[in-house]
């Protein structure tokens, strides 16, 4: 029997595999994609210290190390069901049924699409799909685009699209509806943008971002938007609809008041050949539900989170989680969490020689989070504390399926 099966060969899964294999465990990773690395493969951005974070290179390094340590990696294999065995787990995949003592779910996150009139036209895609096309498959999604949704993900990926030669007409607000929620509200969007002002290339925005209030910033927001890397960012304009006969040809936009009402008479059309929708991320946690893991909702972490502690243990015996399934954070945090999971599992299987390594790894997650270049949601640290407290309270009700 395998000691540990990991679902997901992203940064969390690969780092967990490395830590577990370094302690002598027999580890197998299953991933439905054709390459290891998960969402790392799409990432390319410059950090404030000038260092270029190249996700493909980072993924190669982790993959190479895992292979050297004897980790068995199965690609193009989807996991669709889990069942508790007398000892351990049965993992049902598109290849075969795997049997393991422990199971780590490192399945990452999925995107939330925001419905927009015209979004079924060819040429409309999620921002993550555009990232995969350009950075993973090396296909330019089009020549000229508009991005709907002003958030950390859209800023990062639009910059990547610009680097691959796409002309960006702008990043604009979505139309208000049940799904877009606060992401259509200029003030709420400005609040989250101000948290990112430290990333701006302009010292004026970096400095100003620390002092200005969201209300004031929206009130005095330039009509033409402000530019970051030359990309127009608009919190006072929204996309009303996507237009085209057989494929995307244009978007119809309108200006909005500071409180988010469309201003009649300001409608106009912009020609584009593709549109990206950036609605945010939510943990991909269905397998944890199948495994019987209890959940709790944390908006700051991106949605319903399988209850777990800082050691990445869940309430279900032999089941662990790491990475974006535990809440939306950056790749470096996912890597740090993966290491914690690998060490904890090694300890639980009595393979870890130096127990102090776990506490060091847990501290490293906190430090990595505090130093992270981007925070997907404000209040992540507070939400994590609440989550861990909730886990301690529910620990007495440990589920043993
Ligand atoms: C579209 C998108 C863009 C992002 N861009 C950035 C960015 O620019 N910078 C940044 O820091 N963070 C970004 N993130 C966040 C990113 O997810 C984390 O940084 C990091 O990659 C999370 O690591 P992970 O290992 O938890 O998950 P992932 O990297 O998402 O890896 C999860 C893996 O699990 C596999 N998987 C999922 N379900 C199954 C299943 N049932 N069977 C088999 N395999 C399965 C997937 O194929 C995937 O390879 C982005 C996330 C998304 C979704």
């Amino acid at each position: 029997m395998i000691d540990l099966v990991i679902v997901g060969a992203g940064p969390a899964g690969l780092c967990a595999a490395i830590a577990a294999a370094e302690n002598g465990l027999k580890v197998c990773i299953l991933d439905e994609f054709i390459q290891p690395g998960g969402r790392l493969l799409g990432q390319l951005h410059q950090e404030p210290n000038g260092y270029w974070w190249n996700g493909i290179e980072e993924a190669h390094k982790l993959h190479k190390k895992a292979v050297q340590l004897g980790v068995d990696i199965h690609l193009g294999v989807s996991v669709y069901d889990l069942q508790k065995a007398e000892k351990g787990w049965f993992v049902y995949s598109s290849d075969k049924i795997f049997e393991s003592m422990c199971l780590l779910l490192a399945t990452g996150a999925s995107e939330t699409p925001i419905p927009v009139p015209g979004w079924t036209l060819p040429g409309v895609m999620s921002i993550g799909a555009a990232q995969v096309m350009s950075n993973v498959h090396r296909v330019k999604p089009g020549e000229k685009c508009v991005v709907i949704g002003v958030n950390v993900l859209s800023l990062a990926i639009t910059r990547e699209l610009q680097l691959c030669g796409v002309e960006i007409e702008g990043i604009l607000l979505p139309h208000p509806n049940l799904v877009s929620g606060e992401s259509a509200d200029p003030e709420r969007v400005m609040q989250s943008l101000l948290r990112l002002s430290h990333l701006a290339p302009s010292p004026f925005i970096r400095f100003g971002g620390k002092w200005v209030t969201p209300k004031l910033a929206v009130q005095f927001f330039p009509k033409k938007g402000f530019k970051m890397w030359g990309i127009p960012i608009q919190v006072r304009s929204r996309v009303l609809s996507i237009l085209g006969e057989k494929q995307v040809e244009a978007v119809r936009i309108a200006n909005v008041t500071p409180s988010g009402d469309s201003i009649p008479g300001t409608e106009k059309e912009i020609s584009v050949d593709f549109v990206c929708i950036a609605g945010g991320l939510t943990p991909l946690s269905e397998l944890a539900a199948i495994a019987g893991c209890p959940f709790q909702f944390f908006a700051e972490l991106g949605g319903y989170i399988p209850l777990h502690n800082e050691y990445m243990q869940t309430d279900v015996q032999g089941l662990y989680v790491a990475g974006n399934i535990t809440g939306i954070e950056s790749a470096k945090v996912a890597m740090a969490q993966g290491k914690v999971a690998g060490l904890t599992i090694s300890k639980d299987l009595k393979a870890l020689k130096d127990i102090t390594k776990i506490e060091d790894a847990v501290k490293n997650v906190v430090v990595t989070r505090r130093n992270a270049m981007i925070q997907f949601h404000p209040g992540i640290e507070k939400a994590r504390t609440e989550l861990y407290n909730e886990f301690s309270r529910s620990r007495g009700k440990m589920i043993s399926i």
Side-chain angles (χ1 to χ4, degrees), residues 8 11-12 31-32 38-39 43 77 79 106-108 131 153 281 323-324 330-331:
D31 197 300
E32 62 194 4
R39 302 306 310 198
Q43 296 177 14
V77 174
V79 173
T107 44
Q131 189 186 44
L153 194 66
L281 302 175
N324 276 194
S330 70

Side-chain angles (χ1 to χ4, degrees), residues 7-13 30-33 37-40 43 45 77-79 106-109 111 128 131 153 156-157 160 281 284 287 322-324 329-331 334 374 376:
V7 187
L30 312 175
D31 197 300
E32 62 194 4
F33 195 52
R39 302 306 310 198
L40 257 186
Q43 296 177 14
H45 45 74
V77 174
S78 299
V79 173
T107 44
E111 290 186 82
Q131 189 186 44
L153 194 66
I157 302 180
E160 291 166 11
L281 302 175
L284 201 58
L287 288 175
N324 276 194
E329 298 202 60
S330 70
I374 48 175
F376 282 84

Side-chain angles (χ1 to χ4, degrees), residues 6-14 30-45 53 74-81 92-94 105-111 126-129 131-132 135 152-153 156-157 160 280-282 284 286-287 322-335 337 373-374 376:
I6 299 174
V7 187
L14 287 170
L30 312 175
D31 197 300
E32 62 194 4
F33 195 52
I34 45 172
Q35 286 179 50
R39 302 306 310 198
L40 257 186
L41 296 172
Q43 296 177 14
L44 178 69
H45 45 74
W53 172 259
H74 297 245
L75 298 170
V77 174
S78 299
V79 173
Y80 60 86
D81 198 9
Y92 292 80
S93 80
S94 51
L105 301 179
T107 44
S110 64
E111 290 186 82
S126 75
I127 192 85
Q131 189 186 44
V132 172
N135 297 7
V152 63
L153 194 66
I157 302 180
E160 291 166 11
L281 302 175
T282 193
L284 201 58
E286 289 86 347
L287 288 175
N324 276 194
I325 186 176
T326 75
I328 309 303
E329 298 202 60
S330 70
K332 288 183 186 171
V333 175
M335 290 162 82
Q337 287 181 323
M373 188 178 95
I374 48 175
F376 282 84

